[in-house]
């Protein structure tokens, strides 16, 4: 029998120091992602900044290697991405079922869903990474960062990169502090009538959203803008006709129509986009599973398998998936114990376990494909979550049968809890393949990365619950019992809980979902025509995202996309090391996101500790038009200054590199 030997020289890869460093970076990025997701309904990919920080720190240790740095960013990236589970869990607070986040239960939900996501993504690696031409923008970018950092000039590049991240973060946090001091306003809004209906204008003056827009790019930014125009320029004025009474203000009417009608139309569009994505990738998924089984047979027969093709053996993958179903069943049983479902929950527990097992693989494939196509930051996995909750709610309702009011409320909570586990699969698979693409490009060992992904899941599972609990105690969630004016929107959780309540209460207006589905079909057709006849595209999921998120969150993202587009055009026009210049733009965007998000977490600590909603409000009277004018002017000046400064830093670093 032949003996396997590595195809490439052995380098330090899966090390204790790498795992610990990944854990430390995880603490920062996961907290930032939890806050950002609850505030604006979006999270950001942490692979690139984690790679920069890793290269800068591990360079000070002996025998460091590019593949060891890849493990660090893999751990941090997995944990940071798992924070997207917040798109479901706050719904249990919003419906009044939970008053806080029980630590060990929340840890378990995150862990079992995340580990399932890792396992499901393993057979997909061959189909969607090595066997496809998907661009994996963040995976490729992270690989380039690692390669540059491993080169002779990498140390200087990484020092410059960390300074750009840190400066962007400090300025972004400082802008947030000025808003909390009431020196300026960080939000502008206006409501108005259009004929017999009405609409609104709103914008959050958020540097984090500028950063998000830079990362997602022009294609997604334009698609979100199209969705925004559909909702606020067409649907909202039409749906609000006849909604204006004598007692309500224009703002209340417009907000009500958007929340209770327009948002559900957007959900229908997202559902169609998610199904279409799945249909497009069924064939490569099946091929990937077949190739994984063939590779496992070859290794058992002693054939040489290149180190870059060695996954965790398929029998272990299957065994882990089956083993995870046991704690899932226990979690569901414990959740139903002591409720109106006790004694009659066996059927829905069994159905939910099967649902998670089957649908988990489906959404892993969909989310992995979306991440490969448009990037982890761009991939609106919440759209898949919406579809998942709708299917789960209908399934559980059919299996359970007739319900009274108490049982209906309990079933809503049960559905959200089961969907949270499934969502853990989605969040991780949305990121895993991006990391595995990075590993492929730097010559990493897939099975070691897959182990690191599981470790990252465990790190994230430990960190997410206390951050969630802090957000709940400091701000609360919009629509939840006792929520304040400063409550976090948690838009996906609000929508998902509304959908579940609508299914079990019989109040869900399926005509709205149907209208959204029809719009989704049109968008899919337009996207297909554009892709076949031009170099343009209109990603249906991004359009749906623009339709169902509030304008205040989506309007600034296309602006960030435009700024990123002009910054990259400047890099192309000025020449030199173009990729280095573009990379510094990405790091600036990341810094703006991390700075504002981490400041939000710190501010939440002060709110929770003092019991005051505005503990920093020195100029409490400055909350009118003057504050908004100051805010807009300051926002424009600060954003312009940050990009101009980054351009100068890029040119200076390019000149230093050419001299060296």
């Amino acid at each position: 029998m032949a003996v396997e030997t590595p195809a490439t020289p052995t380098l330090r890869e899966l090390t204790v120091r790498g795992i610990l460093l990944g854990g430390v970076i995880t603490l920062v990025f996961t907290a930032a992602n939890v806050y950002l997701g609850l505030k604006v309904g979006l999270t950001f990919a942490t692979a690139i900044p984690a790679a920069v920080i890793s290269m800068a720190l591990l360079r000070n240790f002996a025998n460091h290697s590019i593949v060891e740095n890849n493990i660090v960013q893999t751990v941090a990236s997995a944990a940071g991405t798992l924070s997207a589970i917040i798109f479901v869990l706050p719904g249990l607070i919003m419906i009044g079922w939970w008053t806080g986040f029980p630590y060990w239960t929340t840890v378990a939900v995150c862990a079992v869903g995340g580990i399932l996501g890792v396992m499901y993504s393993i057979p997909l690696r061959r189909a969607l990474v090595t066997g496809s031409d998907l661009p994996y923008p963040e995976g490729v970018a992270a690989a380039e960062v690692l390669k540059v950092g491993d080169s002779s000039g990498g140390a200087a590049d990484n020092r410059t990169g960390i300074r750009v991240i840190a400066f962007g973060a400090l300025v972004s946090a400082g802008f947030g502090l000025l808003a909390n001091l009431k020196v300026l306003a960080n939000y502008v809004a206006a409501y108005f009538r259009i004929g017999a209906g009405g609409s609104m204008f709103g914008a959050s003056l958020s540097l984090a959203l500028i950063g998000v827009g830079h990362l997602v790019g022009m294609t997604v930014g334009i698609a979100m803008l199209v969705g925004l125009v559909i909702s606020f320029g067409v649907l909202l004025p039409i749906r609000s006709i006849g909604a204006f009474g004598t007692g309500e203000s224009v703002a209340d009417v417009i907000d009500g129509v958007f929340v209770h009608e327009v948002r559900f139309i957007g959900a229908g569009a997202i559902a169609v986009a998610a199904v279409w994505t799945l249909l497009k990738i069924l064939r490569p998924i099946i091929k990937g599973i077949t190739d994984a089984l063939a590779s496992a047979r070859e290794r058992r027969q002693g054939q040489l398998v290149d180190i870059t093709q060695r996954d965790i053996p398929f029998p272990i993958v299957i065994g882990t998936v089956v083993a995870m179903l046991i704690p899932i069943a226990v979690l569901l049983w414990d959740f139903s114990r002591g409720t109106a479902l006790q004694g009659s929950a066996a059927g829905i527990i069994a159905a939910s376990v099967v649902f998670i097992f089957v649908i988990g693989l489906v959404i892993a494939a969909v989310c992995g494909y979306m991440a490969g196509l448009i990037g982890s930051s761009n991939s609106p996995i919440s759209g898949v979550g919406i579809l998942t909750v709708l299917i789960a709610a209908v399934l559980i309702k059919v299996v359970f049968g007739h319900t009274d009011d108490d049982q209906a409320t309990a079933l809503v909570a049960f559905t959200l809890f089961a969907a949270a586990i499934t969502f853990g699969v989605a969040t991780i698979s949305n990121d895993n393949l991006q990391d595995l693409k990075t590993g492929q490009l730097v010559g990493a060992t897939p099975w070691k990365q897959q182990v690191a992904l599981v470790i990252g899941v465990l790190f994230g599972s430990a960190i997410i619950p206390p951050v969630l609990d802090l957000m709940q105690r400091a701000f609360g969630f919009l629509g939840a019992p006792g929520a304040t004016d400063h409550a976090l929107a948690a838009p996906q959780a609000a929508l998902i809980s509304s959908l579940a309540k609508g299914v079990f209460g019989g109040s869900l207006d399926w005509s709205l979902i149907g209208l959204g589905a029809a719009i989704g079909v049109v968008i899919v057709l337009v996207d297909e025509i554009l892709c076949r006849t031009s170099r343009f595209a209109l990603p249906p999921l991004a359009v749906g995202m623009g339709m169902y998120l509030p304008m205040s969150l989506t309007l600034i993202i296309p602006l960030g996309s435009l700024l990123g587009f002009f910054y990259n055009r400047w890099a192309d026009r000025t020449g030199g090391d173009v990729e280095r210049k573009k990379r510094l733009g990405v790091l600036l965007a990341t810094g703006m996101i991390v700075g504002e998000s981490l400041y939000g977490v710190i501010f939440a600590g002060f709110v929770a500790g003092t019991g005051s909603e505005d503990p920093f409000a020195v100029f409490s009277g400055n909350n009118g038009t003057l504050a908004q004018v100051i805010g807009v002017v300051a926002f424009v000046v600060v954003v312009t200054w940050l990009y101009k400064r980054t351009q100068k830093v890029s040119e200076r670093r390019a000149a230093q590199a050419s001299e060296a």
Side-chain angles (χ1 to χ4, degrees):
M1 180 179 291
V3 179
E4 280 191 7
T5 55
T8 55
T10 303
L11 298 171
R12 292 172 65 93
E13 189 167 359
L14 188 62
T15 63
V16 173
R17 69 188 184 190
I19 291 170
L20 292 177
L21 178 56
V24 172
I25 298 173
T26 288
L27 177 64
V28 175
F29 287 149
T30 301
N33 253 337
V34 169
Y35 175 79
L36 186 70
L38 291 174
K39 181 181 179 182
V40 303
L42 295 167
T43 55
F44 66 98
T46 57
I48 295 172
V52 170
I53 295 170
S54 171
M55 294 299 293
L57 296 179
L58 276 187
R59 182 172 286 276
N60 299 313
F61 294 86
N63 301 318
H64 64 86
S65 69
I66 189 171
V67 287
E68 184 182 16
N69 280 290
N70 180 54
I71 290 294
V72 176
Q73 72 87 14
T74 297
V75 171
S77 179
T81 302
L82 184 62
S83 58
I85 200 169
I86 60 172
F87 292 160
V88 180
L89 279 178
L92 291 166
I93 303 284
M94 292 175 169
I95 66 172
W97 192 260
W98 279 359
T99 56
F101 296 92
Y103 182 78
W104 290 111
T105 300
T106 309
V107 167
V109 169
C110 295
V112 296
I115 292 172
L116 263 184
V118 174
M119 295 301 115
Y120 279 146
S121 66
I122 290 171
L124 296 174
R125 183 185 70 83
R126 295 172 183 272
L128 299 181
V129 176
T130 60
S132 81
D133 57 357
L134 291 172
Y136 287 99
E138 289 141 346
V140 172
E144 288 303 311
V145 170
L146 291 170
K147 289 175 182 178
V148 169
D150 200 50
S151 66
S152 57
D157 278 343
N158 280 320
R159 283 195 298 270
T160 302
I162 287 181
R163 283 197 292 267
V164 169
I165 290 177
F167 191 80
L170 287 172
V171 173
S172 184
F175 194 88
L177 176 60
L178 290 175
N180 290 135
L181 290 170
K182 303 298 181 182
V183 173
L184 49 81
N186 59 359
Y187 178 82
V188 292
Y191 296 84
F192 47 85
R193 296 290 299 270
I194 302 177
S199 190
M200 67 160 295
F201 168 85
S204 178
L205 305 178
S206 165
L207 293 177
L209 293 181
I210 292 291
V212 169
H214 186 125
L215 292 180
V216 302
M218 277 297 288
T219 299
V220 173
I222 290 173
M224 292 186 74
L225 190 60
V226 169
L228 186 150
V229 171
I230 292 172
S231 281
F232 292 89
V234 180
L235 294 175
L236 192 54
I238 293 174
R239 302 297 303 189
S240 59
I241 292 174
F244 294 92
T246 55
E248 288 185 288
S249 67
V250 174
D252 288 340
V253 171
I254 295 299
D255 285 340
V257 172
F258 176 75
V259 169
H260 298 296
E261 297 187 34
V262 175
R263 220 170 39 163
F264 288 93
I265 298 173
I270 288 175
V272 166
V275 171
W276 176 248
T277 301
L278 173 63
L279 292 175
K280 290 179 70 173
I281 61 172
L282 274 178
R283 182 179 294 177
I285 290 169
I286 295 170
K287 185 177 184 301
I289 294 173
T290 304
D291 290 346
L293 289 170
S295 177
R297 284 195 302 270
E298 290 172 1
R299 294 189 67 181
R300 284 197 303 270
Q301 294 167 3
Q303 294 183 31
L304 180 64
V305 177
D306 190 88
I307 192 171
T308 59
Q309 293 300 320
R310 298 178 191 171
D311 295 292
I312 292 176
F314 204 68
I316 295 178
V317 173
I318 294 296
T320 304
V321 169
V322 173
M324 284 295 102
L325 299 180
I326 297 172
I328 288 172
V330 172
L331 279 169
L332 293 171
W333 169 79
D334 183 65
F335 188 85
S336 63
R337 190 163 52 94
T339 72
L341 303 178
Q342 185 166 331
S344 54
I348 59 173
I349 290 173
S352 297
V353 170
V354 173
F355 175 80
I356 292 168
F357 175 73
V358 176
I359 297 298
L361 181 58
V362 172
I363 65 174
V366 172
C367 293
Y369 180 85
M370 290 192 302
L373 182 65
I374 58 175
S376 300
S377 296
N378 314 349
S379 177
I381 58 173
S382 51
V384 180
I386 290 165
L387 182 60
T388 301
V389 168
L390 273 175
I391 297 172
V394 172
L395 173 66
I396 290 170
K397 183 176 184 178
V398 170
V399 171
F400 193 86
H402 178 72
T403 61
D404 57 33
D405 289 342
D406 290 339
Q407 288 174 327
T409 302
L411 284 173
V412 171
F414 184 90
T415 301
L416 293 176
F417 190 74
I421 299 173
T422 315
F423 213 80
V425 178
T427 61
I428 286 299
S429 55
N430 185 54
D431 175 78
N432 280 8
L433 298 178
Q434 203 81 243
D435 292 324
L436 292 171
K437 181 65 176 181
T438 301
Q440 178 202 17
L441 295 174
V442 301
T445 310
W447 76 261
K448 292 181 179 179
Q449 262 197 285
Q450 289 151 7
V451 170
L453 287 166
V454 172
I455 294 171
V457 165
L458 297 177
F459 274 133
S461 300
I463 293 167
I464 289 170
V467 180
L468 271 174
D469 219 39
L470 175 62
M471 296 296 110
Q472 157 64 9
R473 288 187 288 111
F475 302 120
F477 304 118
L478 206 61
T484 68
D485 292 338
H486 298 276
L488 295 167
Q492 286 89 344
L495 178 56
I496 285 170
S497 56
S498 296
L499 287 171
K501 285 192 291 186
V503 170
F504 289 104
S507 60
L508 184 60
D509 189 344
W510 288 99
S511 66
L512 297 176
I513 303 291
L515 175 59
I519 294 173
V521 170
V522 174
I523 295 167
V524 166
L525 291 174
V526 171
D527 180 53
E528 288 295 307
I529 293 171
L530 287 174
C531 290
R532 294 172 188 271
T533 60
S534 70
R535 59 188 180 87
F536 300 105
L538 190 69
L541 282 163
V543 176
M545 196 79 164
M547 287 176 64
Y548 87 79
L549 283 178
M551 180 187 284
S552 61
L553 305 182
T554 53
L555 185 60
I556 298 298
I557 293 175
L559 175 60
S561 299
L562 187 64
L563 289 171
F565 171 76
F566 283 124
Y567 178 88
N568 289 336
R569 278 191 60 183
W570 165 82
D572 290 328
R573 188 175 65 253
T574 54
D577 194 335
V578 173
E579 289 308 312
R580 177 188 282 117
K581 292 177 179 178
K582 290 182 178 179
R583 187 161 55 245
L584 287 179
V586 168
L587 295 178
L588 170 65
T590 303
M592 289 191 285
I593 294 170
V594 170
E596 182 175 317
S597 301
L598 287 182
Y599 170 74
V601 174
I602 294 169
F603 180 71
F606 278 95
V607 172
T610 62
S612 169
E613 295 179 6
D614 291 309
F616 298 165
V618 175
F619 304 97
S620 55
N622 187 27
N623 55 6
T625 303
L626 177 61
Q628 292 186 3
V629 171
I630 295 173
V632 171
V633 172
F635 185 72
V636 171
V637 169
V638 168
V639 170
T640 304
W641 174 56
L642 280 174
Y643 274 97
K644 290 292 185 183
R645 181 184 182 278
T646 305
Q647 287 177 342
K648 291 179 180 178
V649 170
S650 300
E651 290 176 326
R652 187 164 59 246
R653 177 65 198 123
Q656 291 170 349
S658 62
E659 291 172 2

